[in-house]
Amino acid sequence: MRIFCASLATETNTFSPLRTDFSDFEQSFYAAPGEHPQTPTLCSAIFPALRTRAATDGFDLVEGTATWAEPGGLINAGTWRRLRDEILAQVRAAMPLDGVVLGLHGAMIAEGCVDCEGTLIEEVRDIVGSKTIIGVSFDPHSHLSDKRVQNADVITVFKEFPHTDFVAAGEACVDLTLRAIRKEITPVLSVFDVRMIEILPTSRHPMRGFVDKMTALEKAGEVLSVSAIHGFMAGDSPDLGAKIIVVTDNQHADGDRIAEALGRELFSFRGQTKPEFMSAEAALRKAGEAPAGPVVVADVWDNPGGGVAGDSTLVLQEAMAQNLTSAAFGTIWDPMAVRLCHAAGEGAALDLRFGGKTSAKAGDPIDARVKVIRNQRGAVQSFGSSVVPLGDCSVIRLGGIDVVLNSNRSQAFSPDLFTNLGIDIAEKKVLVVKSTNHFHGAFAEIASQIIYAAVDGPYPSDPSTTPYQRLSRAIWPICDDPHQRKPI
């Protein structure tokens, strides 16, 4: 048995002021063939899973490129062609193949290519032929096109948001692909279009129970796999929106029935899944008045994980206006400010302008007299078992507020974002993080309470008013009843 694997992943916010090129992949994560680390990244968990199975099952594993760029704006055409052609050339060189396993995100959009993942899978299929089994793992914040379903034999998707199960999803993809190659199963895909775009955190009900139901179906043997695509509202894709994927062992009718039942249940949750979003003023006032800390306040829309810059100053400005003390902010993306702080040195006091550089909607830059508390080269944070680079970082203090400035854009995943830089979170009353919900898994363990703050900014957070150009299907909340059947 001979299997090839590769990973090409990012999440494209087509409304972001940012642009993405090859340097963004290099800065975030790029591993040439054979150079993938032992620890997985969000979309490359298939690599360690396949290595483990190759060692125990005795097949030949051919590793291709694995790369990831922090979510951002439209990918330029040259970067997309370079990475696509690199992987396709590796597939050709690896032939003949019994299987191909791809770790993808699912929301990549480039200049001239709206469905990057669908195109890549289709072109891999053209190379390997119809008999080779192709397994694919996706992030739920993706766009599921017909092209992807028609050319893949196995599709698994992270069930959890926050994505605490990305390793399990990669392992499941590998396992089903191997079983299909050995003809132990005949995987068949069933898809139901939920026709909805909504924020669907699985750390709370009703989504918590929905994920548990999907898991129970798998454990009971009714399906080989079942997944929910949530969709990515900041990507202008014709396939925008939630969908259910069911993989059965050659039971297409049963798969279709289960997919539709789950899809209609998911549609019934519309408008009920989001946590309460407060204004920055109300969120920080509530946090400051809490009897105990640390209180975690999430700046949900200035989230680099959604493709925006992460340099908004609006929540920080409100904290300064409230004279908040004993607080830490993580992070504000400003590579130039980091350079200035490193040049000044730890302990230095300087007049610094930082933040608010990439969008007119992200607040004005802050001009303040700050003290440099910590400088660190190559800082990192953790996300489950993966390591997330923050680049060179500085911690500055203004009044009673510590601010982490980073040079690699990243949302907040773990408290070690702060502790790795010497910030004692136990002594802080308030921790402000830029993340929609991925922070929740790790921060819930140390937070006295969690508050979500919604501040208007560069992220298109209201689909009913977002100027989508490629969307032609009716979906909620743009349409009240997208499933309405017309009389015959």
Side-chain angles (χ1 to χ4, degrees):
M1 190 187 301
R2 186 172 172 84
I3 297 175
F4 172 85
C5 66
S7 179
L8 172 57
T10 191
E11 184 179 60
T12 303
N13 180 338
T14 54
F15 303 95
S16 173
L18 304 174
R19 289 295 182 269
T20 302
D21 69 2
F22 186 72
S23 66
D24 293 289
F25 288 90
E26 283 187 306
Q27 186 180 68
S28 295
F29 174 71
Y30 180 88
E35 295 181 2
H36 191 285
Q38 292 302 314
T39 55
T41 69
L42 182 67
C43 294
S44 69
I46 59 167
F47 276 74
L50 279 165
R51 287 175 180 174
T52 298
R53 293 297 295 269
T56 58
D57 297 12
F59 58 82
D60 292 332
L61 176 62
V62 182
E63 296 187 4
T65 295
T67 188
W68 156 268
E70 187 68 20
L74 196 67
I75 303 167
N76 67 44
T79 296
W80 157 238
R81 287 194 300 267
R82 172 178 176 173
L83 292 171
R84 176 201 64 191
D85 293 349
E86 184 175 317
I87 290 174
L88 293 177
Q90 293 163 356
V91 173
R92 292 188 187 95
M95 290 289 286
L97 292 166
D98 299 288
V100 174
V101 185
L102 301 173
L104 308 176
H105 182 281
M108 177 187 292
I109 298 177
E111 293 173 322
C113 187
V114 176
D115 184 9
C116 292
E117 288 88 351
T119 299
L120 179 64
I121 299 168
E122 181 181 58
E123 292 181 347
V124 169
R125 175 61 73 194
D126 289 343
I127 294 170
V128 302
S130 60
K131 294 183 179 180
T132 299
I133 302 297
I134 298 178
V136 183
S137 180
F138 285 128
D139 185 296
H141 297 115
S142 54
H143 315 295
L144 186 67
S145 66
D146 289 340
K147 187 180 291 187
R148 304 178 192 193
V149 176
Q150 291 164 2
N151 288 285
D153 297 286
V154 171
I155 295 177
T156 63
V157 183
F158 319 152
K159 290 182 175 62
E160 302 286 355
F161 176 39
H163 303 329
T164 53
D165 65 329
F166 65 91
V167 171
E171 291 172 343
C173 182
V174 167
D175 183 65
L176 292 176
T177 301
L178 293 176
R179 291 173 66 190
I181 293 171
R182 294 179 175 126
K183 302 188 183 306
E184 298 170 2
I185 57 172
T186 303
V188 175
L189 303 181
S190 296
V191 175
F192 181 78
D193 187 352
V194 182
R195 293 182 174 266
M196 174 180 82
I197 185 69
E198 176 64 292
I199 301 170
L200 302 170
T202 62
S203 50
R204 62 196 305 273
H205 288 293
M207 286 303 296
R208 178 69 264 144
F210 190 75
V211 169
D212 293 341
K213 176 180 285 190
M214 290 192 292
T215 302
L217 286 170
E218 293 176 346
K219 288 182 177 179
E222 294 186 49
V223 298
L224 296 174
S225 174
V226 58
S227 309
I229 292 282
H230 296 191
F232 181 54
M233 66 176 63
D236 189 4
S237 165
D239 298 293
L240 177 78
K243 296 182 180 181
I244 299 293
I245 309 171
V246 173
V247 186
T248 59
D249 186 5
N250 204 27
Q251 301 293 320
H252 206 173
D254 287 345
D256 288 351
R257 173 182 54 78
I258 293 170
E260 180 171 357
L262 289 171
R264 292 194 179 279
E265 181 178 356
L266 182 59
F267 185 73
S268 74
F269 298 160
R270 64 196 183 280
Q272 306 171 47
T273 58
K274 286 186 292 191
E276 179 188 5
F277 287 172
M278 304 179 70
S279 68
E281 178 184 5
L284 291 175
R285 200 167 299 284
K286 180 178 180 180
E289 294 172 353
V295 178
V296 175
V297 177
D299 184 356
V300 296
W301 296 131
D302 192 44
N303 171 18
V308 297
D311 70 346
S312 170
T313 61
L314 295 172
V315 178
L316 179 55
Q317 288 176 358
E318 178 60 35
M320 295 167 66
Q322 292 187 21
N323 294 316
L324 204 65
T325 59
S326 187
F329 276 66
T331 60
I332 289 183
W333 178 58
D334 195 330
M336 182 56 70
V338 171
R339 287 185 61 184
L340 293 173
C341 290
H342 277 248
E346 292 183 358
L350 71 156
D351 295 322
L352 185 69
R353 168 170 285 199
F354 64 95
K357 289 184 170 62
T358 58
S359 172
K361 299 178 180 179
D364 295 328
I366 291 177
D367 293 285
R369 186 73 174 176
V370 305
K371 182 177 181 180
V372 181
I373 303 301
R374 178 78 171 263
N375 288 323
Q376 186 163 321
R377 302 286 184 189
V380 298
Q381 63 173 324
S382 58
F383 182 35
S385 57
S386 67
V387 178
V388 180
L390 295 168
D392 295 345
C393 289
S394 296
V395 179
I396 58 173
R397 180 169 295 161
L398 54 161
I401 302 173
D402 290 349
V403 180
V404 177
L405 304 175
N406 59 323
S407 54
N408 282 20
R409 286 187 311 110
S410 177
Q411 66 177 298
F413 290 113
S414 167
D416 64 14
L417 162 73
F418 297 107
T419 57
N420 287 349
L421 292 167
I423 297 174
D424 187 349
I425 57 176
E427 293 184 353
K428 299 297 182 183
K429 181 70 173 293
V430 180
L431 300 175
V432 178
V433 297
K434 290 182 184 290
S435 177
T436 304
N437 205 50
H438 281 319
F439 73 94
H440 193 281
F443 278 91
E445 297 179 3
I446 58 95
S448 62
Q449 61 178 300
I450 292 174
I451 302 171
Y452 294 82
V455 179
D456 289 337
Y459 188 91
S461 57
D462 184 356
S464 65
T465 60
T466 300
Y468 299 111
Q469 299 298 308
R470 300 184 178 105
L471 183 64
S472 58
R473 295 159 33 255
I475 67 171
W476 183 91
I478 300 170
C479 172
D480 287 338
D481 188 4
H483 290 288
Q484 184 176 16
R485 293 181 173 86
K486 295 180 180 180
I488 299 175

